[in-house]
Amino acid sequence: MADYVQSGSVRSIDGERPDPMVRLDETTEALTQLHDAFTGEESLDDALQRVADTAARALPDADAVTVSVVTDEQPHTAAATDQRLVELDQKQYDSGRGPCLESALNLTPVRAVIGEHREAWPEFEAAAEQAGVRAYLSVPVVLPASDNTEARHIGTLNIYSRTAEAFDPFDEGLMRLFTTAASATITSAQRWQHSQGQVKQLERALGSRAVIDQAKGVLMAVHSCSADDAFELLVAESQRLNVKLRDVAAKLLESVARQDEPA
């Protein structure tokens, strides 16, 4: 793990935990940064990375933060402040056990010192020791339940420290606060990304419509037929070739363009 301390953080001294008010101030500052950076127009990947970067400043003893996205298909690490720690997440995904997976399953924080769960998570614990990690805190990011939906797991913040005394119930409570704000940021990014996808689909649809209309015009001129008849010709060719209607129309226009080229 990188030998550095997050800028502006106050680390433990002689095994003593930082003063709670200091820790509260750090988390408050991180939440402010998260809020101030919010644009409502960023990709999900960018939002997750920003959450990870900000979470690393929220707790004095946090040396690195990763964000696990746990789905039915395949869990993966979507963001990290130190790429070397992604391997710890991967050990959990490969073995099917570990703090981030337990946190995601139960929707509760998991906090412990390395060495306490050798039997339960041997792969993760061995990799953590090798990486110099001494304590961890995994906190789920949950979209709260509403009248129509149940609580939904969005991701898990995995906070790693080289300090064995790091993370106590107070830190856990602070990160619960932080993840509440983070869930709003991530949800907004998901909505924006979804809306961008819809815009692109609409743009493609409009582009397809323009190509099809031009092809209809060509057929109407060549066959002296109505717009409906021209459209039926395109549909029949699309079905005969088992090709999308837009592609049939585009191919027709390309053919006409080549005929118009000077010899």
Side-chain angles (χ1 to χ4, degrees):
M1 185 177 295
D3 293 327
Y4 68 91
V5 175
Q6 298 291 341
S7 61
S9 66
V10 180
R11 301 303 301 268
S12 306
I13 300 176
D14 298 330
E16 295 182 2
R17 302 293 295 124
D19 182 86
M21 292 307 298
V22 173
R23 286 184 271 167
L24 179 59
D25 288 343
E26 296 250 338
T27 302
T28 300
E29 182 180 350
L31 284 170
T32 300
Q33 292 172 348
L34 186 66
H35 178 270
D36 290 346
F38 174 67
T39 63
E41 297 182 357
E42 63 181 344
S43 70
L44 180 58
D45 287 344
D46 289 341
L48 291 174
Q49 186 60 53
R50 182 158 58 82
V51 167
D53 292 337
T54 312
R57 295 190 289 270
L59 294 181
D61 284 315
D63 286 305
V65 174
T66 65
V67 181
S68 295
V69 175
V70 182
T71 65
D72 293 334
E73 297 177 358
Q74 177 63 46
H76 68 279
T77 298
T81 62
D82 186 338
Q83 288 298 320
R84 288 170 291 182
L85 271 296
V86 174
E87 184 178 348
L88 293 187
D89 295 345
Q90 192 61 48
K91 289 290 184 182
Q92 300 180 66
Y93 309 150
D94 293 341
S95 64
R97 52 189 177 184
C100 85
L101 298 181
E102 181 168 316
S103 178
L105 178 63
N106 299 317
L107 298 184
T108 57
V110 175
R111 171 177 51 87
V113 175
I114 296 300
E116 292 181 346
H117 296 83
R118 294 186 193 278
E119 294 184 3
W121 309 321
E123 300 86 358
F124 167 75
E125 292 260 332
E129 286 185 342
Q130 186 174 2
V133 170
R134 295 292 175 264
Y136 58 83
L137 173 61
S138 293
V139 185
V141 182
V142 180
L143 182 64
S146 65
D147 293 339
N148 300 321
T149 61
E150 297 180 350
R152 180 166 61 88
H153 179 257
I154 299 175
T156 298
L157 289 181
N158 306 303
I159 308 164
Y160 298 107
S161 178
R162 289 184 286 109
T163 304
E165 297 79 13
F167 314 140
D168 57 21
F170 188 75
D171 292 319
E172 185 179 308
L174 291 177
M175 291 314 296
R176 283 177 178 270
L177 263 178
F178 182 87
T179 55
T180 298
S183 68
T185 299
I186 294 170
T187 300
S188 178
Q190 288 177 324
R191 289 173 178 168
W192 183 82
Q193 189 162 293
H194 178 67
S195 69
Q196 289 299 102
Q198 290 181 317
V199 168
K200 290 180 180 178
Q201 288 179 355
L202 179 59
E203 289 174 343
R204 286 194 294 269
L206 292 174
S208 297
R209 175 63 183 272
V211 170
I212 292 171
D213 283 345
Q214 291 177 47
K216 283 166 55 180
V218 170
L219 292 175
M220 290 168 64
V222 171
H223 298 287
S224 299
C225 62
S226 67
D228 288 342
D229 289 338
F231 183 72
E232 288 300 325
L233 289 173
L234 288 173
V235 171
E237 186 69 2
S238 172
Q239 293 174 342
R240 185 181 72 83
L241 298 175
N242 194 26
V243 175
K244 290 182 179 179
L245 187 63
R246 182 195 183 284
D247 294 338
V248 170
K251 186 175 181 180
L252 173 62
L253 294 177
E254 289 174 3
S255 175
V256 172
R258 284 196 298 269
Q259 292 176 12
D260 291 341
E261 292 177 355

